[in-house]
Structure formats: C-alpha cells, structure tokens
Amino acid sequence: MKGRDKFCHYGLKAGIDVWFTRFTDEYRDRIIDMWLQTFNDEFPGFFDLVQLRRNGEVVYSLIAEIETPLENCELYDFLPRIGEYHAKRGTRIDQIIRSFHIWRRSFVACSKEWIQTDQFQVSLLEVYETFPSVHERIDEMQKRVSALYWAYFETQLNHKDQTIHQLHGDRLNLLGKMAASMAHEIRNPLFAIEGFLKLIRKKLPEDALYQVEGYIDVMESEFKGLYSQITGILSFSKNNILEEPLLPCSLQELITTVVNLTWPRLNADNIELLQDIDQEYTVTVQRIAIQQVLTNLINNSIEAFSDVTSPDKRISISIQSEGQNYCVSVKDNGPGIPDHIRDSIFEPFVTGKQHGTGLGLSICRQIMEKNHGELSFRSKAGETEFVLEFNKVSSISNVS
C-alpha cells in the first residue's frame, strides 16, 4: 500500500486504541526524558531530578490513558502527592503551568518523529483527530494538579498561621506572668508611699500643709494613674479585664477626671486642649478601665508631639450621640501614625515609639470590647483621631 491508502484500514476508534497505545508504550521514556530535560533547562537546579522523574512517570501514565476518566485511572491517587511535593518545594504556579505546556510539546514532537518511521503506519489525520483528546487530558491534569497544589499550600499556610498564633499566645502568656509579677511588686511599695503621703497630710501643721497641699494632691492623683496602669497590666496578663463592676457613669465626668490627671503634662508641653463635652450622656462601663483608655489615648497624643517644633499643638476631646452609639473622640494635629503600622496598630508589640512596648492600644481595645464598645481610628499627615463607641442599648440593659 502506498500513499494515503496504506493508512486507511484503521477506524478512528481502533486508531486511538492501536496507534496511540503503541506510540505511548514505545515512546514513554523518550517523552519523559524530553519533558524532564526541557523543564530542568528552564528551571536549573530547582528540583530534585530523581523525584521529579517519578512524578513525571505518574503524569505520563495518566495522560496516556486518555480513554479512561482521570479519576478512574489506577495512579490517580498519586496526584495529591505531586501537589504536596510542589507545595513543599515552593514551586511557583507558573512553573506548574509551564510543566504541562512542556508535556504538550513533548507529545507533539515525539508523535511527529514516530509517524515518520516505518515501525507503524498511521495517517496524520488520525494523529490530528486524536490529539484534541490528549490536549484535553493535559488541561484536566494541569487544572487538578494546580488545585491540589493550592489546597495543600493553603493547608500549610493555615497550619503555620495557627502555629504562629500559638507561639504568639505563649509569648503573651509568658509576658503576662512577668508583667503580673512586676505589677504586684510595684504596687506594694506604692501603697506604702501613698500611706506616708496621707500621714504627712495629717501630721503637717495647717500653715505648712497649705504651702505643699497642692503638690500632695498632684502626687496622689499620679498614684491613681499608676494604679490604673498596673490594673491594665494585670488585666492583660489574665487575657481579660479585672472584674471591676459595670456601673452607670457620666461620660463628661470620666473625661473631666482624666483631663485633670493629664493637665500637668499638657501644660508643661504647651499643648492646647479643646473640649466639647457639655452633653450629659450616661454609659454603663468599668469606670477605672475606661479612664485608663482615655488616659492612654491622651498620653499617646502628647507623645506624638515629641518631635514637633511648631507652637500650634492641639488635642481636642468631644462627645457626640451618633445613632445607636455615644462616641468620644480624641483628636490631635500631630504628624499622624506611620503608614507601615496602621493596619496592625492594635496588635500587641506593634508601636511607632522608639521605646514603646506596643501594649497600650492592644489593652485599650481589649477594655473597650469588655465594655461592649469599640475603639477605632483614622490618621493622615497632620491629624489622628481615635473614637470610643459605647452602645446605648448595652448601657441601658446593663443598668437594668
């Protein structure tokens, strides 16, 4: 038989069964070698060639069985291992896609080489009619391996996130224990000092007391502030706020108390304080804890001016009723929060201060959540605003 006639005695179905099966049997090693060599040339030294060849042998077998649904193939269960291998190796997804492109080229190149030999007679038409099925199988393999790769990669990422979270929790727990121990050690001498201050107030003659009473008042106020900070450290160490009771409190009174405590620092740093707190709103909160939050926010604003040379330094505090919430705003015209920490400002150990611990805002948010409220912020160059939101309904229900 010559010309086209010698190729026509095979039907299409028979053609796939016979010529493609014989071709894939005879050219198995040649195609795998071509794929492996080309892939390694494009990504030299990146893969373990022994393992890569094993994976290639599995992929080749699955491609060659084009008449069997992929999931019914004997080696189908090896696909997750291939996805796992590439995920562990850190293979990029474009490398996986490129791998399957090289499979196409290897099959096509070897099929052209094979039909030019005299080993087996097949027409180009039969080859062209078969290869769409080959390409479909390669597409399906690419899709499944990529999906399995990504599923394994996501699982590993989630596992690493959980491990990091656990390590982070262990670190916080250790820090909490250390902080609690230090707080107790600090609190004991503070009680003694406070007691002596009260004794001095009692023992001094009236005329002498008159001259120093203002200083004693400031010192006693500062002690209250220190107690508040220690309470926060202890609460953070236990991963919850100390069980201070929730009581109805005037927001105006809370702010006034905190302003009186921070006034000496504001005055010393020539910072103008603007207040819009005439409204009388009552919330049910932990008084000392919320005072700690306000104190921390005002102190943060004060410290934001540490490198500001302009005489125009302002902090404004206001109260507003917005929908279902009472909102307290603490705003300053400082330089703003650095861009690189804005998304993580409430996470522990994140700080823009040179000597900061990064715990203050994390504790503040924890306190607000304990008090059924929210703490948020917005910042840009020249302005930073923190907003405390207290739910009106929660306040009413807690009162009742």
Side-chain angles (χ1 to χ4, degrees):
M1 288 184 289
K2 294 184 179 181
R4 186 174 182 281
D5 290 339
K6 68 178 181 180
F7 303 121
C8 293
H9 58 283
Y10 303 111
L12 178 58
K13 183 68 169 68
I16 294 177
D17 286 342
V18 179
W19 88 261
F20 188 73
T21 300
R22 183 168 174 181
F23 163 67
T24 54
D25 285 344
E26 292 184 6
Y27 269 74
R28 176 181 181 278
D29 291 337
R30 175 88 173 101
I31 293 174
I32 293 174
D33 288 342
M34 183 180 293
W35 167 78
L36 186 65
Q37 184 63 53
T38 306
F39 195 53
N40 188 55
D41 287 346
E42 294 194 11
F43 307 104
F46 192 84
F47 298 96
D48 174 358
L49 293 184
V50 174
Q51 183 60 50
L52 195 62
R53 183 177 183 86
R54 292 197 192 104
N55 292 344
E57 289 170 352
V58 172
V59 172
Y60 181 85
S61 296
L62 292 170
I63 294 173
E65 295 181 52
I66 56 173
E67 292 192 294
T68 304
L70 188 57
E71 59 273 14
N72 293 340
C73 293
E74 184 178 352
L75 296 178
Y76 179 73
D77 290 340
F78 282 84
L79 283 184
R81 300 183 194 179
I82 295 174
E84 177 181 340
Y85 167 78
H86 285 294
K88 285 181 176 179
R89 294 288 302 176
T91 306
R92 301 192 310 267
I93 196 68
D94 65 293
Q95 291 175 320
I96 293 177
I97 294 172
R98 181 58 183 157
S99 169
F100 284 97
H101 288 174
I102 296 171
W103 277 118
R104 288 180 213 280
R105 287 173 51 188
S106 301
F107 266 89
V108 170
C110 287
S111 67
K112 288 180 178 178
E113 178 182 311
W114 184 75
I115 62 176
Q116 291 173 2
T117 68
D118 294 329
Q119 297 178 23
F120 195 66
Q121 296 173 344
V122 61
S123 70
L124 285 175
L125 177 61
E126 287 175 306
V127 174
Y128 291 150
E129 288 179 334
T130 302
F131 260 86
S133 298
V134 177
H135 292 314
E136 285 177 10
R137 174 54 63 91
I138 292 175
D139 287 342
E140 187 178 6
M141 290 282 295
Q142 175 182 299
K143 179 181 177 181
R144 298 207 185 190
V145 169
S146 298
L148 289 164
Y149 159 87
W150 183 247
Y152 182 84
F153 193 70
E154 265 193 328
T155 301
Q156 293 302 103
L157 281 178
N158 290 335
H159 177 70
K160 287 180 180 179
D161 283 345
Q162 290 172 5
T163 302
I164 291 170
H165 182 74
Q166 179 63 45
L167 292 172
H168 190 60
D170 292 343
R171 184 183 181 192
L172 289 180
N173 186 45
L174 177 61
L175 176 68
K177 290 178 180 178
M178 293 170 60
S181 176
M182 290 178 62
H184 282 298
E185 292 299 322
I186 293 170
R187 188 161 58 173
N188 291 335
L190 284 179
F191 277 128
I193 295 170
E194 185 183 33
F196 279 111
L197 278 175
K198 291 179 179 178
L199 189 61
I200 290 170
R201 186 189 288 273
K202 256 186 194 179
K203 294 291 185 180
L204 280 177
E206 192 170 322
D207 58 335
L209 178 62
Y210 175 76
Q211 296 179 33
V212 298
E213 190 170 22
Y215 301 130
I216 294 175
D217 289 342
V218 171
M219 292 172 70
E220 288 179 339
S221 294
E222 290 299 322
F223 273 115
K224 290 180 182 178
L226 280 172
Y227 291 147
S228 176
Q229 295 296 327
I230 291 171
T231 298
I233 292 173
L234 289 171
S235 69
F236 190 78
S237 71
K238 295 180 181 180
N239 201 29
N240 56 31
I241 308 305
L242 290 180
E243 292 308 313
E244 178 191 352
L246 294 164
L247 297 172
C249 302
S250 163
L251 279 177
Q252 186 185 51
E253 181 186 338
L254 286 173
I255 294 171
T256 300
T257 301
V258 171
V259 167
N260 289 338
L261 287 173
T262 56
W263 182 255
R265 285 195 69 187
L266 292 165
N267 190 48
D269 291 349
N270 296 314
I271 298 172
E272 181 183 7
L273 180 66
L274 306 176
Q275 299 183 66
D276 181 10
I277 59 171
D278 294 336
Q279 303 89 336
E280 283 286 353
Y281 298 134
T282 299
V283 292
T284 303
V285 295
Q286 296 172 307
R287 177 187 296 272
I288 295 174
I290 297 303
Q291 285 179 350
Q292 178 186 342
V293 174
L294 289 167
T295 300
N296 188 280
L297 294 179
I298 294 173
N299 284 334
N300 282 352
S301 289
I302 293 172
E303 291 170 5
F305 292 116
S306 58
D307 296 325
V308 175
T309 56
S310 168
D312 180 25
K313 295 184 284 188
R314 297 187 312 277
I315 296 175
S316 61
I317 303 175
S318 63
I319 307 174
Q320 291 182 339
S321 174
E322 296 184 1
Q324 295 299 312
N325 298 318
Y326 295 125
C327 299
V328 178
S329 166
V330 179
K331 184 190 301 185
D332 66 65
N333 65 335
I337 297 172
D339 291 342
H340 68 279
I341 62 171
R342 287 183 187 176
D343 291 339
S344 54
I345 194 69
F346 291 114
E347 295 178 11
F349 310 113
V350 174
T351 179
K353 304 174 188 176
Q354 185 175 358
H355 302 293
T357 62
L359 290 176
L361 288 174
S362 178
I363 293 173
C364 288
R365 171 169 275 189
Q366 190 181 35
I367 290 173
M368 287 300 295
E369 289 174 353
K370 179 71 175 179
N371 284 265
H372 311 290
E374 294 184 11
L375 177 62
S376 60
F377 81 97
R378 62 180 186 84
S379 183
K380 60 182 180 180
E383 183 177 281
T384 296
E385 179 182 23
F386 280 85
V387 178
L388 292 76
E389 298 182 55
F390 301 93
N391 188 273
K392 296 176 184 179
V393 176
S394 295
S395 294
I396 294 172
S397 62
N398 280 315
V399 171
S400 58

